């Protein structure tokens, strides 16, 4: 370790893999867990206490759909009693009457609501959930009525990249403080569906222009966070702010990982909360220490002046595209296999053209996220 | 074009407050004050903390300037400039309500 180990600031808690939506870019693993493997209320509460003691200041309650946990109010109250800032990440369909108010009462600090499209037809087609858009609009209204701050999250890909201006209007009309225009990251289900989701270069450029102008125009009115598309990038993102540097995630069964895609690095073994404490896992787990700091780096990262800016980028993307989790993230122009990103874009666009020529509707090429769908992948 | 809100400008008679989604909190693990907001945690320096603590919805920017000029024994126009710039930046990120 080239620098002192600091305590973690943030934690993503995937409370469940159950979800009413079936988005083909879901960041959950392609092998989804059923409800019987989820941690119980007591164990989550115990884990949250340890997280707070360890230094965690912010917890993102996610899934799957976290509101499917009937004990969510209790979990929020537990975190809140330790002074932890709580952020609910929800799809916003089917939240029972009175629950949003109960979350607020329990101490919830912030809600992030996803929209698959800026228009009803898109939202329903991408999430494969009829009536979804209308339910989300209603959820947004209830969130604001409960006095909670709201972020709209828009995952962007080929089928909705043209709706970016409409997403901005939607966020404004719903009274949101923040909008995330988040280009899909190709891990989990998105990697399976990459050919069906990849946007073209012109659309990406137009999007960047539109977002840049809106950020300027809406300064002090709406915060727009832009998550750039890796495949079109010159430099990689500091994924998770650096591997096991200031954040981690917990899967529904209590497995503790440096990021939500880390399980795709098969050479690593991840430990479960309960077998060891969070503090032990954070400090000693070989999987956490594997890519911490800069000592593990190879060239060109090792000698690069950006090594402590992007920490080598995403380890899971290095695994997926370069076949080596210790390689430079191929999103980086300095990666020896950077050209593969461009080839993968071209492959995806060629496959999209072929589908279109055959007259196939786009959703026919989606492998929708669901438990049974994993058999199609085998 | 939906124009429901406007950019809020920080003026001398503004009485800034912290919105509900922003919270100042002492962190016993790091022995420092943290500002918690959606997705971000800030570690304000002493001066920033002195300004943010006065964002109580009652204290005017003018009063903050007078107060901190005395406390830091610094030229008033310099303190005024620093405070106004700081508050406008935080207001533009929707972390302070002027």
């Amino acid at each position: 370790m080239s620098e002192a180990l600091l305590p973690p600031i943030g934690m993503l808690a995937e409370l469940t893999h159950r979800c009413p939506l079936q988005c083909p870019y879901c960041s959950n693993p392609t092998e989804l867990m059923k409800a019987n493997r989820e941690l119980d209320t007591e164990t989550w509460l115990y884990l949250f206490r340890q997280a707070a003691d360890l230094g965690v200041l912010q917890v993102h309650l996610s899934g799957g759909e976290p509101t499917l946990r009937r004990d969510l109010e209790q979990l929020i109250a537990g975190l809140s009693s330790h002074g932890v800032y709580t952020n609910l990440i929800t799809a916003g369909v089917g939240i029972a009457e009175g629950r949003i108010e109960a979350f607020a009462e329990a101490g919830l600090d912030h809600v992030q609501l996803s929209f698959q499209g800026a228009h009803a037809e898109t939202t329903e087609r991408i999430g494969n959930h009829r009536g979804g858009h209308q339910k989300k609009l209603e959820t947004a209204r209830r969130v604001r009525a409960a006095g909670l701050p709201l972020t709209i999250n828009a995952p962007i890909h080929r089928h909705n990249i043209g709706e970016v201006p409409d997403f901005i209007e939607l966020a404004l009309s719903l009274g949101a403080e923040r909008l995330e225009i988040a280009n899909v990251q190709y891990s989990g289900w998105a990697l399976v569906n990459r050919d069906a989701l990849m946007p073209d270069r012109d659309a990406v450029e137009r999007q960047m222009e539109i977002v840049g102008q809106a950020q300027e125009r809406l300064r002090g009115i709406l915060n727009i966070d832009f998550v750039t598309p890796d495949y079109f990038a010159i430099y990689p993102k500091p994924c998770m702010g650096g591997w096991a540097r200031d954040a981690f995630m917990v899967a529904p069964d209590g497995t503790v990982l440096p990021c939500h895609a880390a399980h795709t690095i098969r050479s690593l073994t991840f430990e479960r909360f309960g077998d060891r404490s969070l503090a032990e896992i954070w400090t000693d787990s070989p999987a956490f220490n594997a890519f911490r700091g800069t000592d593990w780096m190879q060239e060109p990262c090792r000698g690069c002046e950006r090594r402590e800016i992007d920490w080598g980028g995403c380890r899971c993307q290095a695994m997926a595209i370069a076949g080596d989790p210790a390689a430079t993230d191929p999103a980086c122009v300095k990666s020896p296999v950077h050209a593969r990103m461009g080839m993968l874009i071209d492959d995806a666009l060629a496959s999209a053209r072929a589908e279109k020529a055959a007259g196939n509707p786009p959703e026919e090429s989606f492998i929708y996220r669901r438990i049974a769908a994993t058999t199609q992948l085998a | 074009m939906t124009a429901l809100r406007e950019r809020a400008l920080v003026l001398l008679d503004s009485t800034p407050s912290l919105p509900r989604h922003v919270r100042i909190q002492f962190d016993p693990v790091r022995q420092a004050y943290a500002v918690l907001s959606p997705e971000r945690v800030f570690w304000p320096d002493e001066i920033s903390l002195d300004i943010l603590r006065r964002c109580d919805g009652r204290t005017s920017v003018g009063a903050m300037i007078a107060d901190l000029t005395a406390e830091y024994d610094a030229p008033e126009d310099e303190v005024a400039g620093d405070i106004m710039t700081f508050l406008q930046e935080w207001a533009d990120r929707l972390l302070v309500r002027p």
Side-chain angles (χ1 to χ4, degrees):
Chain A
M1 287 296 300
S2 46
E3 59 174 80
L5 176 62
L6 297 173
I9 292 174
M11 171 172 112
L12 175 72
E14 282 182 353
L15 300 176
T16 180
H17 280 161
R18 291 173 287 142
C19 188
L21 301 193
Q22 300 182 355
C23 308
Y25 47 74
C26 181
S27 62
N28 283 162
T30 48
E31 291 158 48
L32 295 166
M33 287 177 211
K34 292 184 181 163
N36 60 9
R37 293 186 53 196
E38 292 172 15
L39 298 183
D40 63 16
T41 312
E42 288 312 308
T43 311
W44 274 119
L45 288 173
Y46 186 41
L47 186 153
F48 290 156
R49 198 173 78 205
Q50 285 198 8
D53 289 345
L54 188 56
V56 168
L57 297 171
Q58 265 182 329
V59 170
H60 307 281
L61 297 162
S62 180
E65 173 50 43
T67 61
L68 290 177
R69 290 278 307 210
R70 295 205 186 119
D71 55 359
L72 186 57
E73 291 82 344
Q74 259 175 287
L75 300 181
I76 293 167
L79 286 164
S80 196
S81 72
H82 305 303
V84 174
Y85 193 100
T86 49
N87 177 22
L88 174 64
I89 299 177
T90 180
V93 303
I95 304 178
E97 199 66 40
R99 277 197 96 196
I100 291 171
E101 296 72 13
F103 301 152
E105 186 79 10
L108 184 65
D109 289 297
H110 177 259
V111 176
Q112 179 183 311
L113 172 62
S114 66
F115 273 85
Q116 286 64 46
H119 305 289
E121 190 270 329
T122 316
T123 301
E124 297 185 9
R125 184 158 54 85
I126 303 298
N128 205 19
H129 185 93
R130 195 172 300 167
H133 196 77
Q134 200 51 44
K135 293 177 193 169
K136 286 165 184 281
L137 294 175
E138 179 58 17
T139 298
R141 198 195 55 74
R142 285 162 62 194
V143 167
R144 299 304 289 145
L148 289 165
L150 177 67
T151 289
I152 300 299
N153 167 267
I156 301 296
H157 45 79
R158 183 197 304 153
H159 307 282
N160 67 4
I161 195 164
E163 294 180 23
V164 166
D166 307 330
F167 276 118
I168 296 167
E169 287 303 304
L170 178 69
L172 286 168
S173 72
L174 295 175
E177 280 88 3
R178 274 180 82 242
L179 168 65
E180 287 181 0
I181 297 289
N183 284 268
V184 162
Q185 316 256 7
Y186 294 97
S187 66
W189 292 86
L191 188 56
V192 174
N193 284 297
R194 184 171 55 196
D195 281 355
L197 294 169
M198 186 69 72
D200 66 58
R201 291 182 175 85
D202 288 348
V204 167
E205 256 174 52
R206 257 196 318 276
Q207 171 195 224
M208 308 248 260
E209 231 169 84
I210 290 166
V211 170
Q213 285 166 3
Q215 282 170 328
E216 191 55 38
R217 175 168 57 88
L218 298 172
R219 185 151 45 109
I221 297 169
L222 176 70
N223 283 334
I224 305 177
D225 276 6
F226 185 57
V227 179
T228 55
D230 279 336
Y231 282 59
F232 301 82
I234 296 171
Y235 293 122
K237 295 190 195 73
C239 197
M240 294 296 284
W243 182 271
R245 195 159 166 275
D246 59 21
F248 63 95
M249 68 82 71
V250 183
D253 68 345
T255 305
V256 186
L257 302 113
C259 80
H260 58 249
H263 62 274
T264 60
I265 304 175
R266 301 281 180 187
S267 55
L268 300 178
T269 309
F270 301 100
E271 296 174 278
R272 273 186 63 189
F273 177 74
D275 298 338
R276 295 180 90 192
S277 70
L278 269 190
E280 286 170 324
I281 295 172
W282 178 255
T283 316
D284 291 334
S285 165
F288 276 66
N289 284 323
F291 305 115
R292 253 190 185 130
T294 54
D295 288 352
W296 57 273
M297 287 178 177
Q298 312 171 14
E299 290 299 347
C301 286
R302 179 174 278 274
C304 180
E305 70 283 0
R306 294 179 57 86
R307 66 182 178 274
E308 291 190 4
I309 295 172
D310 56 40
W311 305 97
C314 172
R315 299 301 87 231
C316 307
Q317 194 148 270
M319 180 71 229
I321 293 169
D324 174 6
T328 296
D329 184 339
C332 183
V333 71
K334 296 184 183 179
S335 158
V337 296
H338 180 66
R340 277 187 205 168
M341 301 300 250
M343 283 154 58
L344 289 165
I345 297 171
D346 293 339
D347 286 354
L349 297 178
S351 132
R353 277 193 299 274
E355 292 283 333
K356 201 172 177 185
N360 296 334
E363 60 269 28
E364 269 185 23
S365 55
F366 288 159
I367 296 176
Y368 280 113
R369 169 220 199 268
R370 50 188 164 223
I371 288 173
T374 48
T375 53
Q376 294 179 45
L377 308 172
Chain B
M1 170 96 277
T2 320
L4 299 175
R5 289 171 284 171
E6 280 183 11
R7 179 184 179 211
L9 294 176
V10 176
L11 306 167
L12 279 177
D13 61 356
S14 310
T15 51
S17 58
L18 297 184
R20 175 172 169 166
H21 59 273
V22 177
R23 183 159 92 215
I24 305 176
Q25 188 169 301
F26 186 73
D27 172 20
V29 173
R30 298 168 185 83
Q31 291 290 307
Y33 281 92
V35 178
L36 306 181
S37 76
E39 303 287 332
R40 290 281 303 269
V41 176
F42 301 89
W43 301 98
D45 58 21
E46 203 187 331
I47 301 169
S48 309
L49 196 58
D50 274 335
I51 301 170
L52 290 171
R53 276 196 183 128
R54 285 166 171 80
C55 292
D56 54 11
R58 293 186 306 273
T59 310
S60 73
V61 174
M64 283 185 201
I65 292 168
D67 208 11
L68 291 175
T69 299
E71 197 163 308
Y72 284 90
D73 194 19
E76 184 172 318
D77 52 347
E78 215 173 273
V79 173
D82 287 353
I83 291 181
M84 300 287 277
T85 307
F86 175 89
L87 285 173
Q88 190 61 56
E89 259 172 38
W90 279 61
D92 283 346
R93 290 146 96 180
L94 304 174
L95 297 168
V96 160
R97 231 166 237 155

